[in-house]
Amino acid sequence: MSDLKTINVLNVPVNPFSMQETLDCLLARLEAGQKTWVITANAEIIMLGQKDSEYMHLLQKATMVLPDGAGTVWAGRTLGYDVPERVAGFDLFLELIKLSAVQHYKIFFLGSAPGVAEIAKKRCEAMAPGVEIVGIHDGYFTEAESKEIVAEINKSGANLLFAALGAPKQEFWLNRFADAINADLCMGIGGSFDVLAGKMERAPKWMQEASLEWFFRLYKQPSRFRRMLVLPCFVAKVLQRKYSSK
Ligand code: UDP
């Protein structure tokens, strides 16, 4: 955990930053050459931390944990904190792509099915001309290949590493190789390459604004139902925490 302002959401230290504050902070850290690990935490991730102490440890160890998802924003506000807005992982990823084009930072894409990150790269190059995506590796590799991938990332000279392996796999992987990876900023971005490559749809803006993105994902991927069963438990835990601290 860093010395940045945090709030406590079920023992997870969340940074209650707006998108702009997040970008300012990340730019300052990149310019200072400070290693930064970003996790964008939705309610599912926070609940995973309640069940898995090793995962909770990672959430407490990351440099920045941002309020991704309506659930995390709601929880922070319900617990009496000022949470300016949601900072969605996908939106932050796109902002960092644009920032990298301006600042000439190099980027490595790790994760998703073979070929998907290549399409995402093309979309990024069209969106942010001049952006340098210097390396790509898909997310389906063996345990033994991990070390070679780390060497590949380092050889590419990437300043930013985006890992799209899904939560919690990406956090466990990034933690395991944190000391060996030279990139200054590492961030897990779940299914973002799939969205960018058009393999997965993102909820329409009105649904995002109405805090219904979770419902859209469930509608598109009914297989997420089991994962989402934790959401009522999340609400109950937050309310219990709120009333037990009065
Ligand atoms: N993935 C991967 N390697 C794996 C498992 C998953 O690269 O071993 C990728 C998968 O192809 C998908 C992403 O990780 O692109 C997971 O997306 P999901 O939306 O499930 O992640 P979440 O945003 O829920 O963490």
Side-chain angles (χ1 to χ4, degrees):
M1 197 172 92
S2 63
D3 54 1
L4 304 172
K5 180 183 170 197
T6 58
I7 61 172
N8 178 343
V9 179
L10 304 181
N11 301 329
V12 175
V14 175
N15 302 110
F17 294 165
S18 64
M19 178 62 85
Q20 195 53 54
E21 285 169 319
T22 303
L23 288 169
D24 292 345
C25 177
L26 292 177
L27 177 60
R29 293 183 68 89
L30 278 160
E31 288 299 290
Q34 287 174 295
K35 272 206 160 191
T36 304
W37 177 15
V38 180
I39 297 179
T40 55
N42 58 17
E44 280 176 50
I45 286 182
I46 293 176
M47 283 307 282
L48 192 58
Q50 312 302 303
K51 278 196 289 180
D52 181 338
S53 58
E54 209 185 322
Y55 194 62
M56 176 59 92
H57 177 69
L58 302 191
L59 291 168
Q60 293 173 343
K61 187 178 161 189
T63 323
M64 260 184 152
V65 179
L66 293 160
D68 186 356
T72 309
V73 174
W74 168 83
R77 290 179 182 164
T78 300
L79 293 168
Y81 302 109
D82 185 17
V83 184
E85 63 180 342
R86 172 183 178 204
V87 180
F90 182 72
D91 296 333
L92 178 58
F93 162 59
L94 295 188
E95 291 299 329
L96 287 170
I97 293 287
K98 291 183 212 157
L99 180 78
S100 298
V102 175
Q103 296 294 125
H104 304 292
Y105 297 142
K106 294 177 182 160
I107 298 170
F108 197 100
F109 279 179
L110 172 66
S112 66
V116 174
E118 280 80 357
I119 304 173
K121 175 179 186 268
K122 288 207 175 80
R123 296 273 150 85
C124 289
E125 287 164 348
M127 182 190 76
V131 71
E132 284 184 82
I133 297 158
V134 292
I136 291 182
H137 199 293
D138 69 73
Y140 294 86
F141 48 86
T142 63
E143 207 34 41
E145 284 167 327
S146 284
K147 276 196 179 153
E148 288 163 33
I149 293 170
V150 170
E152 206 183 310
I153 294 166
N154 290 343
K155 197 164 159 227
S156 75
N159 309 99
L160 279 75
L161 167 63
F162 292 108
L165 305 171
K169 187 171 180 174
Q170 60 204 15
E171 282 76 38
F172 284 118
W173 195 88
L174 286 173
N175 181 57
R176 221 170 113 218
F177 297 101
D179 292 340
I181 295 170
N182 293 338
D184 286 321
L185 193 154
C186 296
M187 177 175 160
I189 56 167
S192 295
F193 295 153
D194 294 328
V195 175
L196 205 51
K199 305 276 171 205
M200 203 168 69
E201 227 181 308
R202 197 168 176 213
K205 204 84 189 145
W206 71 266
M207 279 188 118
Q208 292 177 39
E209 281 163 9
S211 303
L212 287 173
E213 192 157 19
W214 64 271
F215 181 74
F216 183 83
R217 293 193 87 180
L218 183 59
Y219 168 68
K220 287 281 170 187
Q221 293 173 278
S223 57
R224 296 183 84 92
F225 180 71
R226 278 188 71 81
R227 283 176 65 171
M228 287 192 173
L229 284 176
V230 298
L231 298 182
C233 289
F234 176 74
V235 171
K237 268 191 176 285
V238 170
L239 292 176
Q240 190 186 25
R241 186 67 61 98
K242 175 182 162 102
Y243 292 110
S244 64
S245 64
K246 281 204 167 166

